[in-house]
Amino acid sequence: MSATVPASGTGIAWGPALLFCPADRPDRFAKAAERADAVILDLEDAVAPERKARARAALRAERLDPTRTIVRVNAVGSPEFEADLEAVVGTDYRTVMLAKTESPAQVARLGGFEVVALCETARGVVAAPEIAAVPAVRALMWGAEDLLASLGGTSSRAGDGGYRDVARAARSAVLLAAGAHGKAAIDAVHLDIADLDGLAAEAADATASGFSATACIHPGQVGTIRAAYRPGPGQVAWAREVLAAASDQPGVFRHKDQMVDEPVLRQARTVLARFGEQD
């Protein structure tokens, strides 16, 4: 089956905190939508096999704002993919996250939808540039645990809690592929719900590196992600000063012992845009 649906043209209202919600728990849908910037209704890993049909029924019965909702479907070739796709076609949702995306051909199975390609296997990460080039792909996300499983590994993190080198390499590869094609990049979930300090550090690194959002698995993580993505007073003051100085000094110039050229000015504009200002 290849779905063809009317193009909404609205996409989702991107924000930094994207919250996964099991699709078989409609009692949580409204709370997730209230707490997060966008909700990812999950038909894949968060739902036990015997509850997949119930999850699809809940997806059709309960309505959230389609501009702020993504539906994660099972991987192409899995026993659940066709039924998931049929269920989504019967809703107003038009943004689909494809689990274990590994090729442009798999994305093509979602004709008519805007796609968040979840590159979470070795094949998917290696193919990320080709996947990002597909016009229907709005964003790329990476996933650490499925990636390590696809490699035969046992843990994405080392003893100090940080990602292993292979996970960091995959994270960078997906970010670069997204950026090269003008697509958004979404950082992976932080599984240790109680480790808000670790989440804050990873989210701060994500926004500084160029990610547009970080996915999360618990409402209690939303505030930490939002805070990390929002520029601090010092960053905002620096951006305003640099851009103000640039208006009087064409070309490269020195500002408080920092060399300022166009790449630095672009970074300053990004800071103000994330703060809600335009220079």
Side-chain angles (χ1 to χ4, degrees):
M1 176 181 179
S2 179
T4 302
V5 297
S8 68
T10 57
I12 66 168
W14 289 111
L18 311 184
L19 178 62
F20 277 99
C21 180
D24 64 337
R25 294 298 305 271
D27 55 306
R28 298 181 181 178
F29 288 8
K31 181 180 179 180
E34 178 184 341
R35 294 289 298 274
D37 297 310
V39 178
I40 305 169
L41 296 179
D42 191 5
L43 292 169
E44 197 217 10
D45 286 344
V47 181
E50 64 273 14
R51 294 178 64 89
K52 298 286 190 185
R54 181 180 302 184
R56 289 188 283 265
L59 185 76
R60 291 188 292 262
E62 301 292 331
R63 295 185 177 183
L64 295 179
D65 180 353
T67 68
R68 298 179 53 241
T69 306
I70 306 164
V71 180
R72 177 161 75 166
V73 300
N74 284 268
V76 173
S78 70
E80 307 292 341
F81 173 75
E82 300 290 352
D84 287 354
L85 194 54
E86 183 178 358
V88 183
V89 169
T91 71
D92 292 332
Y93 304 130
R94 292 296 174 258
T95 306
V96 171
M97 176 181 286
L98 180 60
K100 300 175 179 64
T101 308
E102 294 185 336
S103 70
Q106 292 181 349
V107 174
R109 299 290 299 277
L110 298 170
F113 288 102
E114 290 187 328
V115 178
V116 177
L118 181 46
C119 300
E120 53 182 342
T121 65
R123 286 181 181 273
V125 171
V126 171
E130 290 76 25
I131 293 167
V134 177
V137 172
R138 182 171 185 192
L140 268 65
M141 179 175 163
W142 79 289
E145 304 314 318
D146 277 296
L147 172 66
L148 266 293
S150 78
L151 293 169
T154 59
S155 175
S156 67
R157 295 183 184 270
D160 63 358
Y163 281 123
R164 299 184 187 280
D165 288 347
V166 66
R168 286 197 294 267
R171 181 176 186 253
S172 298
V174 171
L175 174 61
L176 288 167
H181 293 278
K183 308 298 175 67
I186 302 169
D187 204 13
V189 299
H190 192 81
L191 292 178
D192 188 344
I193 296 171
D195 180 25
L196 294 181
D197 289 342
L199 172 62
E202 286 184 2
D205 178 76
T207 185
S209 298
F211 282 94
S212 299
T214 293
C216 57
I217 56 173
H218 191 277
Q221 296 176 313
V222 169
T224 298
I225 292 170
R226 285 176 172 165
Y229 273 79
R230 185 171 178 81
Q235 284 181 290
V236 174
W238 166 82
R240 289 171 177 164
E241 289 178 6
V242 166
L243 290 169
S247 63
D248 298 324
Q249 304 185 60
V252 178
F253 64 95
R254 178 175 173 174
H255 178 73
K256 293 184 177 179
D257 294 327
Q258 178 186 17
M259 186 197 79
V260 178
D261 57 4
E262 183 54 31
V264 174
L265 295 177
R266 288 175 62 187
Q267 292 171 14
R269 294 184 191 106
T270 297
V271 168
L272 292 189
R274 289 179 175 172
F275 188 68
E277 291 185 12
Q278 299 297 327
D279 66 285

